[in-house]
Amino acid sequence: MEPHRRIATEGSTAAGNFKGVAEPVSRLNGHRQAAAMDGESFHAASQRILSTVNTVIDGKSDAAKLALTVLLAQGHLLLEDVPGVGKTLLAKTLARTIDCTVNRIQFTPDLLPSDVTGVSIYNQASRLFEFRPGAVFANIVIGDEINRASAKTQSALLECMEEHQVTVDGTSYRLGEPFMVVATQNPIEMEGTYPLPEAQRDRFMARISMGYPDKDAEIEMLETHQAASPLAMVSAVVSTAEVAAMISTVQQVYVSQAVKEYTVSVGRATRESPLLRLGASPRSMLQLLRAAKATAALDGRDFVLPDDVVHVGEAVLAHRIILDRKAAGSGETPHSVLRGILSKLPVPHAPSDSNAAPAGRSTASVAGLGRNR
């Protein structure tokens, strides 16, 4: 385990707070409701994060934006690709742009669940068991090569990712706010890897495949990464409080009934498809809509369009569905099946005036987030 930074921030969890006393979790996902940002502040903060990430990760602006989308939608991110394409670098860069606590866990076959969650240790002086927090107690947890650990160790993250708490010896401990797991993994066909179980894959909001950079981006990387990694020059550009305010802004993005019905239709279509053995879960529908809301906010709108759902559909759903054997044998992939489903579903009609406010929303609130990228 490699701790990068331990910066005391308001709302973060310190090791000294755990003396066998649990702080109950009664809020959704363990997040406090912070005051929302105005449109100008939200745009400025998001651009600072994206600009900083793009100075380090060459030619992967779409991956950087999707990573920020997952953070603002209160989700977790899975980065899957072959070694050496910048998966860990993207995770570390995103973490460094925020002034918060960050821990990194290097997953190996001998890693134990207690290394992740923490363990109760007997204190001979006080004659009491004291809880020593594990590496998961941070605002952003980077799990490097998560599929190299055993299924038992991987399962230690299930409660953390879903309920934002850790239960050890019958006592529950709240995690920091905000909380995000950014995990990397190599393709399961490689040696020494264990495929993630369906229950854990379903807890990741989105999966990104980095892919190889194009020629120009690779030449730029050779020119700028020779002397030192640009990651060393990255510093925090937003505070934890600003991220919490950005999350609150995303939560207030308006979703019409038509868009909700369209989102449900996407999920039901995956469950009814003859090409799939396992369709999208109800949890994935919630996360799909949250990701769409974050996408709308980053695009300068305070209302969701069907295009926002389509835009994040493959990243949110592809790792949750399982192909039928015949479909896999005929060359289909989860992405191709999803593209076919999305192309056939009827899309709700947008308002004739793209600048018009949705029903129940004021034109002033729409204009507040009206800045384009």
Side-chain angles (χ1 to χ4, degrees), residues 106-353:
Q106 184 65 52
F107 281 80
T108 56
D110 60 346
L111 189 72
L112 298 175
S114 58
D115 296 328
V116 177
T117 60
V119 64
S120 295
I121 299 177
Y122 184 73
N123 189 326
Q124 292 185 348
S126 63
R127 297 184 178 182
L128 295 172
F129 281 94
E130 296 182 355
F131 178 64
R132 301 293 177 87
V136 79
F137 283 85
N139 295 117
I140 296 181
V141 178
I142 302 173
D144 202 12
E145 295 187 305
I146 188 174
N147 61 336
R148 292 200 179 275
S150 65
K152 182 178 181 180
T153 302
Q154 291 177 15
S155 65
L157 288 171
L158 295 179
E159 181 185 15
C160 309
M161 296 172 67
E162 180 66 18
E163 303 176 42
H164 290 209
Q165 68 178 28
V166 170
T167 301
V168 177
D169 295 334
T171 304
S172 297
Y173 305 94
R174 188 179 62 177
L175 298 176
E177 304 172 3
F179 174 70
M180 180 185 185
V181 174
V182 184
T184 70
Q185 72 168 1
N186 296 322
I188 60 175
E189 291 81 6
M190 294 199 167
E191 295 183 7
T193 59
Y194 305 82
L196 295 181
E198 288 80 2
Q200 185 156 357
R201 289 205 310 268
D202 198 54
R203 281 166 169 78
F204 285 100
M205 175 174 284
R207 180 183 66 180
I208 299 176
S209 293
M210 298 288 292
Y212 292 107
D214 58 32
K215 180 180 178 180
D216 293 337
E218 203 159 5
I219 293 175
E220 179 70 18
M221 180 189 69
L222 294 178
E223 293 177 349
T224 58
H225 293 210
Q226 284 287 340
S229 171
L231 182 63
M233 305 300 293
V234 173
S235 59
V237 294
V238 294
S239 65
T240 308
E242 286 178 305
V243 172
M246 294 174 74
I247 291 173
S248 294
T249 303
V250 169
Q251 290 175 340
Q252 294 184 11
V253 171
Y254 173 80
V255 183
S256 67
Q257 184 64 28
V259 172
K260 293 177 184 176
E261 293 176 356
Y262 177 70
T263 304
V264 171
S265 297
V266 172
R268 296 184 69 86
T270 63
R271 299 167 204 159
E272 298 168 358
S273 173
L275 300 176
L276 299 178
R277 184 158 51 96
L278 178 67
S281 66
R283 180 195 287 125
S284 65
M285 295 298 96
L286 288 169
Q287 297 195 350
L288 178 60
L289 198 56
R290 289 175 185 170
K293 291 170 69 173
T295 300
L298 289 173
D299 283 349
R301 285 177 281 103
D302 69 346
F303 58 95
V304 177
L305 296 175
D307 285 347
D308 299 322
V309 178
V310 174
H311 181 74
V312 296
E314 290 185 39
V316 173
L317 300 179
H319 63 288
R320 305 171 187 269
I321 61 178
I322 299 179
L323 289 175
D324 182 81
R325 292 177 182 175
K326 291 183 179 179
S330 63
E332 293 283 359
T333 65
H335 290 276
S336 66
V337 173
L338 284 172
R339 291 190 195 107
I341 290 174
L342 292 171
S343 64
K344 293 178 182 177
L345 281 178
V347 179
H349 293 290
S352 57
D353 182 3

